Amino acid sequence: MDRASVYLETFGCQMNELDSQLVTSSLRSLGYRFTTEPDEAGIVLYNTCSVREHAEQKVWSRLGELAIRKARQPGLVVGVLGCMAEREGEALIQRMPVVDVLVGPGELDKLPTLLDNAVRTRASLADLPEARTLSDTPAERKPDLTLLRSAGAVALQGNTGRRSATLAAAADTLEGLDLSRTVSPEDHAGSAYVRITRGCNKFCTYCVVPFTRGAEVHRPPDHIVDECRRLADAGVLEVTLLGQTVNHYRFEHGAAVTIGGVIQPQKGRVYASADGTRRDAYAGERVTTFADLLRRIHEEVPAIRRLRFVTSYPRSFGDDVLDVIRASPRICRYLHVPAQSGSDRMLKLMNRGYTIAEYMEFLHRARAALHQPEIGRPLTVAGDIIVGFPTETDADHEATKHLLAQARYKNCFIFKYSPRPGTVAIDRYDDDVPDDVKRRRNNELLALQQQISASVSAEYAAAEVDVFVQGISKRQAKVDRRPVSGGGVSLTVRGRTPDAPPDHIGADADCGACTTVATAPATRESAGTPVQLSGRTDGDLIVFFDCPTGRSPDSLIGSIVRVRIDECRPLSLHGTLISGR
Ligand code: 5AD
Ligand code: SF4
């Protein structure tokens, strides 16, 4: 076991993947090494997700396994990062004393210090004779939490994360983590995430995110543009802007908060003016809207050949944003805009704040503005649906089927409702839809979406598309039978490898099963068959093609190539390389 080597496993969403990348870059700069073999690591970190119970169960079981290992190797350091740390708090360490370090998503900048403390403490324990540790009774091992806090093993926002007085401070320290991001060409395969907003203020009744990630805070546009520029300078061609509700991005220049000791503008609020009316900003104050931000990045960083953003909220998606996308050739014609249900009654119970008529009005407006297949620029849309929300009837379920048919998503993630502690829904409504009914509805929606995805896919027959090459296909990795190793390409999309059906269509993609997969750069053909590469279109459709004989796959990975589509499947397009760098 190498005490300075870290195994980091990421569960859940793209926001977590970005957090893991930032943590990796900050720990690397301090001399930690990363390994993809947990057994070799002296430090095991889990960056966790709390959105569904299943995701948390996976982590509990991993921690149980680590407890057995730690009895043998007392020097092992275990850290739980992310939403589960924040949601469970110190109770997590009480239940699983194997955990040395607990860091919420709003405190990740503190990880290096905490880890350093833990490594030192554990190193001294490791020198004890093994028998001493093994003879510990569980009671003796129960951690003294006051001690842990003062020893700097726990960093959580707690419920202070939503208090406006501490919001500035939270933004302040976290901004440092994003700002200190080091980008080197080895860290990416041409693609990177950039956060624009932290937290969420929507409080959908089923969702833990507003509690674990805290209140919505928007990053200063200069920081975002600068980060995009640095990524582009390091060779990144594709940037995905991240936020829980990206289209709500709004930065009011002039409302001050300090970041790293420097006064910075802060996201505005609604201000009461002297006459008692409410307005969005002080007179003369400059505001950067989401449309402005997109336009700035597109204009100021032309080296970014693909700019996308996730996730959009169906409300308040203005025509100004659609106009910017339409006018900007390098902004992808792709929207991920979850409806969550096709039933107005469910949407009300979920506190989503829109009706299906309003949702469809938005989709029609977006398609009218952006869907231009005749010039090779179709708009593709992806969605999320929750099945089996409390009181959901067959009629509500039928309404969701109707929505899928109307919305024509290229793919839709379908989740079984999972009651989450701390949310409004778990307190207010019984989880009264039996699991077999949830499963049946889930399967019906999957089957329907499969047909819809097939018909969206079929429109690409014989088309020539630009493909951003992400890496070798998963099938190919299996053929090669090479161990997965780090330093390569992160192929995860919402925690999924791009060729991992059926979740791409949207099985109940329990994020507990979603872990980041890295593949080694492909360098050889196996048994005379060409290496299969995978990538994505501008509209986020998965494309597979064979690397031509004599070409090195590495020369194509991370670049944009032209592919002619020979075969359309519901989940993917298959084609032939026409041209590439
Ligand atoms: N149960 C099931 N799915 C959920 N989601 C969020 N909270 C829950 C929950 N409690 C889904 C929503 C969201 C996606 C990220 O996860 O569809 O868009
Ligand atoms: Fe959760 Fe709703 Fe916020 Fe999305 S918009 S993160 S579902 S509360």
Side-chain angles (χ1 to χ4, degrees), residues 439-512:
R439 211 171 319 123
R440 175 176 56 76
R441 289 180 185 165
N442 188 65
N443 289 341
E444 283 178 20
L445 294 185
L446 280 176
L448 175 58
Q449 183 57 43
Q450 170 106 354
Q451 290 169 18
I452 296 163
S453 295
S455 89
V456 171
S457 193
E459 288 166 15
Y460 291 79
E464 289 182 11
V465 291
D466 287 328
V467 176
F468 177 82
V469 188
Q470 292 176 293
I472 56 165
S473 73
K474 201 176 159 199
R475 191 199 73 185
Q476 182 71 41
K478 275 192 200 140
V479 169
D480 280 357
R481 286 195 208 290
R482 283 174 301 158
V484 166
S485 72
V489 194
S490 174
L491 290 177
T492 0
V493 175
R494 306 197 76 206
R496 297 280 154 182
T497 48
D499 48 342
D503 301 311
H504 174 64
I505 272 197
D508 186 0
D510 274 319
C511 287

Side-chain angles (χ1 to χ4, degrees), residues 51-52 206 340 384 386 415-418 420 494:
V51 167
R52 280 168 292 278
Y206 50 80
Q340 310 297 3
D384 289 359
I386 296 177
F415 306 102
K416 286 188 286 178
Y417 169 64
S418 167
R420 304 309 295 136
R494 306 197 76 206

Side-chain angles (χ1 to χ4, degrees), residues 50-107:
S50 289
V51 167
R52 280 168 292 278
E53 192 189 357
H54 187 255
E56 293 196 345
Q57 279 166 353
K58 276 224 142 186
V59 175
W60 287 121
S61 84
R62 293 268 211 291
L63 291 174
E65 288 158 17
L66 283 183
I68 297 167
R69 180 175 158 201
K70 198 159 174 169
R72 274 184 289 112
Q73 296 177 327
L76 180 70
V77 170
V78 177
V80 174
L81 322 179
C83 288
M84 202 173 152
E86 190 64 48
R87 203 189 67 66
E88 286 280 335
E90 288 151 355
L92 191 148
I93 301 193
Q94 271 171 328
R95 178 170 159 189
M96 279 289 174
V98 67
V99 176
D100 300 287
V101 171
L102 204 57
V103 189
E107 306 287 320

Side-chain angles (χ1 to χ4, degrees), residues 295-458:
R295 191 185 298 109
R296 266 196 72 179
I297 301 172
H298 188 264
E299 278 172 12
E300 294 179 33
V301 199
I304 294 175
R305 304 252 315 269
R306 280 191 180 176
L307 182 62
R308 32 171 122 251
F309 50 84
V310 287
T311 298
S312 300
Y313 198 76
R315 262 180 68 176
S316 39
F317 199 116
D319 285 342
D320 55 342
V321 179
L322 298 177
D323 289 346
V324 171
I325 301 173
R326 190 180 163 91
S328 308
R330 295 182 301 280
I331 300 183
C332 296
R333 303 274 176 110
Y334 166 74
L335 298 174
H336 177 219
V337 47
Q340 310 297 3
S341 171
S343 152
D344 284 343
R345 194 178 69 83
M346 290 290 103
L347 291 177
K348 208 168 172 127
L349 297 186
M350 291 174 170
N351 190 33
R352 289 291 287 180
Y354 53 83
T355 61
I356 285 302
E358 286 163 340
Y359 181 85
M360 286 312 301
E361 182 278 328
F362 164 65
L363 276 196
H364 289 316
R365 193 157 48 87
R367 287 207 163 104
L370 302 177
H371 191 63
Q372 294 176 291
E374 66 286 357
I375 58 160
R377 302 224 63 193
L379 171 72
T380 59
V381 182
D384 289 359
I385 293 287
I386 296 177
V387 291
F389 190 75
T391 77
E392 187 187 65
T393 60
D394 281 340
D396 295 315
H397 175 57
E398 288 304 315
T400 300
K401 284 187 186 166
H402 185 62
L403 171 74
L404 288 193
Q406 281 186 298
R408 276 197 100 236
Y409 298 122
K410 69 126 180 132
N411 73 300
C412 183
F413 296 91
I414 297 159
F415 306 102
K416 286 188 286 178
Y417 169 64
S418 167
R420 304 309 295 136
T423 59
V424 169
I426 198 171
D427 290 338
R428 199 177 283 172
Y429 314 115
D430 277 346
D431 180 20
D432 60 357
V433 179
D435 200 53
D436 58 328
V437 175
K438 283 185 187 164
R439 211 171 319 123
R440 175 176 56 76
R441 289 180 185 165
N442 188 65
N443 289 341
E444 283 178 20
L445 294 185
L446 280 176
L448 175 58
Q449 183 57 43
Q450 170 106 354
Q451 290 169 18
I452 296 163
S453 295
S455 89
V456 171
S457 193

Side-chain angles (χ1 to χ4, degrees), residues 75-239:
L76 180 70
V77 170
V78 177
V80 174
L81 322 179
C83 288
M84 202 173 152
E86 190 64 48
R87 203 189 67 66
E88 286 280 335
E90 288 151 355
L92 191 148
I93 301 193
Q94 271 171 328
R95 178 170 159 189
M96 279 289 174
V98 67
V99 176
D100 300 287
V101 171
L102 204 57
V103 189
E107 306 287 320
L108 288 171
D109 57 307
K110 303 196 175 61
L111 178 65
T113 316
L114 269 55
L115 213 49
D116 189 48
N117 286 346
V119 170
R120 283 169 206 277
T121 315
R122 280 281 143 202
S124 59
L125 274 182
D127 295 335
L128 292 174
E130 205 158 279
R132 159 80 182 81
T133 323
L134 286 171
S135 68
D136 275 353
T137 65
E140 276 170 341
R141 274 192 271 127
K142 222 170 185 77
D144 179 336
L145 292 174
T146 330
L147 219 65
L148 278 174
R149 266 197 183 268
S150 64
V154 176
L156 304 169
Q157 274 191 303
N159 53 17
T160 60
R162 298 212 68 87
R163 262 189 256 134
S164 58
T166 58
L167 203 56
D172 202 16
T173 55
L174 259 191
E175 187 61 17
L177 187 69
D178 288 70
L179 285 177
S180 64
R181 176 180 199 170
T182 54
V183 193
S184 68
E186 308 82 60
D187 290 340
H188 63 82
S191 183
Y193 295 125
V194 171
R195 191 187 333 262
I196 64 168
T197 303
R198 300 192 176 85
C200 183
N201 284 351
K202 294 310 294 182
F203 287 98
C204 303
T205 54
Y206 50 80
C207 185
V208 290
V209 170
F211 305 97
T212 57
R213 290 203 175 258
E216 188 177 278
V217 180
H218 302 251
R219 293 185 65 205
D222 287 348
H223 293 189
I224 297 168
V225 174
D226 189 55
E227 194 171 325
C228 289
R229 196 177 288 119
R230 285 190 296 121
L231 288 164
D233 288 347
V236 166
L237 294 183
E238 180 183 74
V239 163

